[in-house]
Amino acid sequence: MTFLNAYWKNLMLINYEIDPNLLKPFVPKGTELDFFNGKCNVSLVGFMFMNTKVLGLKLPGHIHFEEVNLRFYVKHNDKRGVVFIKEIVPKPLITWVANTLYHEHYETHRMRHRWIEHETHKEFEYQWKLNQKWQSISVSTDKVASDITEDSEAQFITEHYFGYTKHHHTTFEYEVEHPTWRQLKVKDFKIDVDFSANYGSTFDVLNRVEPTSVILAEGSKVSVKNKKTIAR
């Protein structure tokens, strides 16, 4: 059964290599870390939820909104998925639903975004306010989209089709369906984020390293299925 339908648009994915030992406390039972070419990755992701429906219904005031999340990559048997450290949205009801029904780690903060199309390039920015200070991620890109290369890091990052959450000693799995995305080549980027303030001291290391890649995926319609238990 489908829990949520939406359009995920203009996904900015900022990717870092990280020591896998830092992520082990967050790995849900029944899953294991998923590596790309021997490297463990964590991604800071910003995008827009658009035309959102929960159980087939559009909730007034909750149809279009920003999200920024920090996630890493796992696998369960032959399924490749993601685990979220934290997801930030501007809507308290979304936070309550996701944390209550899916045992996710949502927080509610003021958010805003900016998309600008210039003659030679496009600009995208996502911002959220934490402790009276605006955090921001932004990129400039080419105007014309291209396919994501087979077996590339971009394909690895964008094609994990399951989500995993842990609640006490139980692990839940839910499927996220979407077609293969296309990307706009990133020409420049800027990151103004306090990782330790947002995500805890474990991720302070991200304040001192450069990302291994930055991707801007055009996005598509998505559907999020109901969760099921895979481990206790």
Side-chain angles (χ1 to χ4, degrees):
M1 181 178 176
T2 299
F3 173 74
L4 180 144
N5 286 292
Y7 198 107
W8 289 355
K9 189 172 180 65
N10 294 333
L11 296 97
M12 188 187 307
L13 304 108
I14 302 170
N15 311 300
Y16 297 87
E17 183 181 357
I18 195 169
D19 181 348
N21 290 315
L22 294 178
L23 296 179
K24 286 181 179 178
F26 302 97
V27 176
K29 183 179 180 181
T31 71
E32 59 182 303
L33 290 170
D34 195 7
F35 295 81
F36 177 75
N37 289 344
K39 297 180 179 179
C40 186
N41 294 275
V42 62
S43 300
L44 183 63
V45 183
F47 65 103
M48 281 294 294
F49 265 91
M50 306 189 75
N51 298 322
T52 306
K53 296 180 181 179
V54 178
L55 297 176
L57 301 175
K58 288 188 176 181
L59 304 177
H62 294 76
I63 299 171
H64 311 303
F65 54 91
E66 300 90 348
E67 177 175 319
V68 171
N69 64 63
L70 185 69
R71 72 186 201 182
F72 65 94
Y73 303 90
V74 298
K75 54 188 177 181
H76 167 64
N77 297 331
D78 60 344
K79 300 174 183 177
R80 301 170 70 187
V82 302
V83 176
F84 295 101
I85 300 298
K86 183 185 292 183
E87 297 120 306
I88 297 170
V89 293
K91 304 293 185 179
L93 180 59
I94 298 296
T95 295
W96 182 86
V97 169
N99 291 350
T100 302
L101 299 183
Y102 275 74
H103 307 294
E104 286 287 8
H105 310 286
Y106 274 68
E107 286 186 0
T108 305
H109 295 285
R110 287 182 59 193
M111 301 187 76
R112 60 193 184 193
H113 73 283
R114 180 176 62 94
W115 301 340
I116 302 176
E117 184 167 349
H118 299 277
E119 184 175 345
T120 59
H121 66 283
K122 293 182 177 182
E123 294 181 8
F124 304 88
E125 182 177 38
Y126 296 102
Q127 295 183 304
W128 64 103
K129 200 168 190 180
L130 179 71
N131 300 328
Q132 304 304 310
K133 181 180 179 181
W134 284 100
Q135 314 283 303
S136 69
I137 51 177
S138 60
V139 298
S140 63
T141 73
D142 286 349
K143 294 187 70 173
V144 179
S146 59
D147 291 336
I148 290 176
T149 304
E150 192 78 17
D151 297 324
S152 65
E153 182 184 70
Q155 184 185 55
F156 174 86
I157 294 295
T158 58
E159 295 192 9
H160 279 70
Y161 293 106
F162 291 85
Y164 294 94
T165 64
K166 63 177 181 178
H167 182 59
H168 301 305
H169 300 292
T170 302
T171 300
F172 298 100
E173 173 192 272
Y174 56 91
E175 185 175 4
V176 180
E177 293 183 345
H178 66 77
T180 299
W181 291 330
R182 287 164 61 81
Q183 66 178 336
L184 295 168
K185 183 179 179 181
V186 173
K187 303 169 74 171
D188 196 11
F189 63 88
K190 183 178 180 181
I191 304 163
D192 186 7
V193 175
D194 185 335
F195 282 94
S196 55
N198 279 277
Y199 305 109
S201 59
T202 298
F203 300 97
D204 179 68
V205 63
L206 300 182
N207 287 319
R208 301 185 297 276
V209 296
E210 289 293 310
T212 58
S213 66
V214 180
I215 302 163
L216 196 291
E218 288 187 309
S220 68
K221 291 181 179 180
V222 300
S223 62
V224 179
K225 305 300 183 181
N226 279 355
K227 73 178 188 299
K228 64 179 182 180
T229 302
I230 65 162
R232 292 188 184 275

